[in-house]
Amino acid sequence: MKILVLSCDKNIDTFDAFSHCIEKYYKDHPEIIYTTETVKNPYYKTICKDIPLEKWTKRIRETLKEIDDDQILLMIDDCFIRKEVDVNRINYAREHLTGNIAMFNFEKSFDPADEETNIEGFKKRQKGSAYEVSIMCGLWDKEKLIKVLSVDSNPWELEGYQRNYGYDYYINSGDYIIDYGYKTWQYAGICKGKWCREVVPFFNKEGIKVNYETRGFYD
């Protein structure tokens, strides 16, 4: 498994905070790879593809083709981890990422229609349900993810189109696996290019220094 962090040139101000949090709360993490247009992250290997936002999916799938692993833990650059990662549950998901399963979404189940399964701690998303295809933090089968990204689009269009390609998608029905502050329908980290105010007390506690004036706050 590799961790692929979805980032971009304009989010260089997230690099320090992301690194601080993942190194503290996921000490034995696998290799971390960043994807940006042109800016290299000084902490981790960065695969740069100067492809515009309207073809964002092309950038990600071309990046994935350069990663030598079958399983991808997908994260976004404002996933600032708040407590120890549940490595045992990640490994459990890895063992069950087989057959027609494309993804284990690590956010908490939010849809009453999610189905109970024999995979402990995870429910199965119904075909065509809202955000069945999601770029929230989760574990992917790399080849299936490349297929899901096969139509050139921006990330919002990707989640809007919901092309599931007939794959199965599962979602966390237990406690947080990777707690990065996000609660269902309550934003954390960055929203619409601005800081969410919830990061301020957390960053203060962690000693993370940020110039909030550059982005401003999302209210």
Side-chain angles (χ1 to χ4, degrees), residues 57-70:
T57 52
K58 181 178 180 180
R59 172 156 66 90
I60 307 309
R61 69 176 184 266
E62 292 301 317
T63 297
L64 287 164
K65 291 174 184 177
E66 296 188 23
I67 298 176
D68 185 21
D69 207 296
D70 295 331

Side-chain angles (χ1 to χ4, degrees), residues 42-91:
Y43 300 104
Y44 307 111
K45 176 181 177 179
T46 308
I47 298 177
C48 295
K49 302 285 182 182
D50 195 8
I51 298 173
L53 182 62
E54 58 266 25
K55 293 186 177 181
W56 177 87
T57 52
K58 181 178 180 180
R59 172 156 66 90
I60 307 309
R61 69 176 184 266
E62 292 301 317
T63 297
L64 287 164
K65 291 174 184 177
E66 296 188 23
I67 298 176
D68 185 21
D69 207 296
D70 295 331
Q71 295 183 343
I72 302 295
L73 175 51
L74 203 64
M75 298 184 71
I76 302 175
D77 55 14
D78 66 339
C79 289
F80 306 121
I81 302 175
R82 314 302 170 95
K83 64 180 183 182
E84 293 293 330
V85 168
D86 193 335
V87 177
N88 289 334
R89 292 195 64 206
I90 293 177
N91 290 336

Side-chain angles (χ1 to χ4, degrees), residues 190-204:
I190 294 172
C191 181
K192 297 184 178 180
K194 297 182 180 295
W195 291 107
C196 297
R197 291 188 184 275
E198 64 82 27
V199 301
V200 176
F202 173 67
F203 282 0
N204 288 343

Side-chain angles (χ1 to χ4, degrees), residues 2-48:
K2 298 287 195 300
I3 295 176
L4 177 61
V5 182
L6 307 178
S7 190
C8 59
D9 289 1
K10 68 179 182 180
N11 283 4
I12 190 172
D13 59 345
T14 66
F15 291 177
D16 288 348
F18 183 95
S19 177
H20 170 98
C21 294
I22 201 165
E23 298 300 333
K24 180 175 180 179
Y25 294 114
Y26 193 180
K27 294 182 179 65
D28 295 324
H29 61 73
E31 181 182 8
I32 294 172
I33 301 170
Y34 260 66
T35 169
T36 68
E37 296 93 343
T38 64
V39 174
K40 290 187 177 294
N41 185 314
Y43 300 104
Y44 307 111
K45 176 181 177 179
T46 308
I47 298 177
C48 295

